[in-house]
Amino acid sequence: MSERKVLNKYYPPDFDPSKIPKLKLPKDRQYVVRLMAPFNMRCKTCGEYIYKGKKFNARKETVQNEAYLGLPIFRFYIKCTRCLAEITFKTDPENTDYTMEHGATRNFQAEKLLEEEEKRVQKEREDEELNNPMKVLENRTKDSKLEMEVLENLQELKDLNQRQAHVDFEAMLRQHRLSEEERQKQEQEEDERETAALVEESRKRRLLEDSDSEEEDAPAPPRPALRPNPTAILDEAPKAKRKAESWERSVGTLGSRPQLSGLVVVKKTDLDQSARRDPAASAPGAVHNGKAAGPAARAPGASSLSQLGVYSDSDDSSGSN
């Protein structure tokens, strides 16, 4: 039984490799390869950003009639991840880089542009020095001055580092830590004092409120009874007199016949009519049918307003008594 993993093949004695037919493939044949984007680029069709390192299934071909020192140059075809537009770039063995060819623009190539500018300036300087000896002397003088300035700056940096070398950073950190602890301790003490002051103030306020509530709840002392003033009657007599005078000014004198008394008409009763027919019976002390006559009838001239004044005087006298 033969081996399963055989590395050496059997060649018969009559094997002639020249008789093996060769495939004639075109020189511009394309291969499908798996690669990553060599730089950041942006699609010109849709503006999509394609970052360095993104993987693509690309088509690879050899560029015809282009080479660098016998090295072939390859072209790659990829598609945009958004609009599927075709993007092409090729190798650059002279600068060990890739160059964008079609379908996108390369981003973040400032470093490359700077290097190209430096190379161009250096090449121009060499060409100028080759034809002008005085320019060579000037450039050497400028280079020596620049070198002296660089050395002076370097010496200043060395002196600065030496001064900083004597600084004890551990001691500085320790001092800063101690000052921070002291500051925190002071803040804590201030907070405690403020808290104690607030507690004391609230306690005093509570005591004041309790004392006020106790004073309000306590019964009021009894007031002494007012004693009657013996001379109060002397003050009441002028009051009655002033009342009578005001009555006289408004109504008139009680004994006289005022002008308003004519407005009151005395109603004639049956007793008045009988008195006119029989004057003897109306005399005082006369006996009518064995009985004594009643009290004398009221004089017709008496006014009802005068009677009202008499009644009011009687009330004042009773109140003063």
Side-chain angles (χ1 to χ4, degrees):
M1 185 176 180
S2 63
E3 296 182 4
R4 184 169 60 87
K5 295 182 179 180
V6 179
L7 300 178
N8 298 324
K9 304 296 182 180
Y10 173 72
Y11 294 99
D14 56 349
F15 176 73
D16 188 3
S18 61
K19 296 181 178 180
I20 299 175
K22 295 183 179 180
L23 296 177
K24 293 183 180 180
L25 300 176
K27 295 182 179 180
D28 57 349
R29 181 186 177 187
Q30 294 182 353
Y31 300 91
V32 177
V33 294
R34 182 77 169 173
L35 57 79
M36 292 186 294
F39 46 76
N40 298 315
M41 65 185 78
R42 184 181 181 184
C43 179
K44 290 182 178 179
T45 305
C46 63
E48 178 71 12
Y49 285 96
I50 300 173
Y51 298 97
K52 181 180 180 180
K54 190 171 182 61
K55 293 182 179 181
F56 292 93
N57 292 324
R59 291 181 288 115
K60 170 187 172 185
E61 70 176 7
T62 304
V63 180
Q64 300 297 324
N65 301 325
E66 287 189 21
Y68 176 73
L69 301 179
L71 298 175
I73 297 175
F74 301 99
R75 182 182 289 113
F76 300 93
Y77 299 88
I78 61 175
K79 291 184 178 180
C80 177
T81 56
R82 184 176 180 182
C83 65
L84 300 179
E86 191 174 60
I87 300 172
T88 62
F89 56 89
K90 60 183 179 180
T91 57
D92 186 10
E94 182 179 1
N95 299 317
T96 61
D97 196 3
Y98 293 83
T99 58
M100 176 58 62
E101 190 175 19
H102 173 73
T105 56
R106 183 172 180 175
N107 301 332
F108 307 110
Q109 53 181 351
E111 185 178 359
K112 181 181 178 181
L113 295 176
L114 181 62
E115 291 177 356
E116 292 178 355
E117 184 67 20
E118 289 179 354
K119 289 181 180 179
R120 185 183 62 80
V121 172
Q122 185 68 21
K123 187 176 181 180
E124 290 179 356
R125 181 177 178 180
E126 290 177 357
D127 295 341
E128 190 176 7
E129 288 178 357
L130 184 62
N131 300 324
N132 190 356
M134 294 299 296
K135 194 68 177 179
V136 175
L137 182 60
E138 291 178 1
N139 292 336
R140 288 180 181 177
T141 306
K142 291 180 180 178
D143 293 340
S144 62
K145 289 182 179 180
L146 181 61
E147 185 177 359
M148 292 294 293
E149 291 179 0
V150 171
L151 291 175
E152 289 178 359
N153 293 334
L154 182 61
Q155 187 64 29
E156 290 179 0
L157 291 175
K158 288 181 179 180
D159 296 340
L160 182 61
N161 291 333
Q162 289 179 358
R163 287 196 298 270
Q164 292 181 353
H166 297 290
V167 178
D168 190 359
F169 294 100
E170 295 294 334
M172 292 175 61
L173 293 175
R174 195 180 305 109
Q175 185 177 1
H176 176 70
R177 195 180 301 111
L178 292 175
S179 62
E180 189 69 20
E181 291 178 357
E182 291 179 357
R183 186 179 63 81
Q184 292 179 358
K185 187 176 180 181
Q186 291 179 358
E187 290 180 356
Q188 185 176 3
E189 291 177 356
E190 290 178 0
D191 293 341
E192 290 178 356
R193 286 197 297 270
E194 291 179 357
T195 304
L198 291 174
V199 170
E200 184 67 20
E201 185 178 356
S202 62
R203 187 177 64 82
K204 291 180 180 180
R205 190 183 299 109
R206 195 180 302 111
L207 292 175
L208 291 174
E209 291 177 356
D210 294 342
S211 62
D212 293 341
S213 60
E214 290 178 358
E215 290 178 359
E216 291 177 358
D217 296 339
R223 295 182 178 180
L226 296 176
R227 296 181 181 179
N229 191 0
T231 61
I233 191 171
L234 299 177
D235 298 334
E236 293 178 358
K239 289 181 181 179
K241 187 176 180 181
R242 287 194 301 270
K243 191 173 183 181
E245 292 177 355
S246 63
W247 175 263
E248 290 176 358
R249 284 195 302 269
S250 60
V251 177
T253 307
L254 297 178
S256 62
R257 186 178 180 89
Q259 297 177 358
L260 298 176
S261 61
L263 298 176
V264 181
V265 180
V266 179
K267 187 178 180 181
K268 294 182 180 180
T269 59
D270 296 339
L271 183 60
D272 296 336
Q273 293 176 3
S274 60
R276 288 183 179 180
R277 287 195 300 267
D278 192 1
S282 61
V287 178
H288 182 66
N289 293 334
K291 294 182 181 179
R298 186 175 52 185
S303 175
S304 60
L305 293 174
S306 62
Q307 292 178 3
L308 182 61
V310 173
Y311 179 75
S312 62
D313 293 338
S314 63
D315 291 341
D316 295 337
S317 62
S318 62
S320 61
N321 293 331

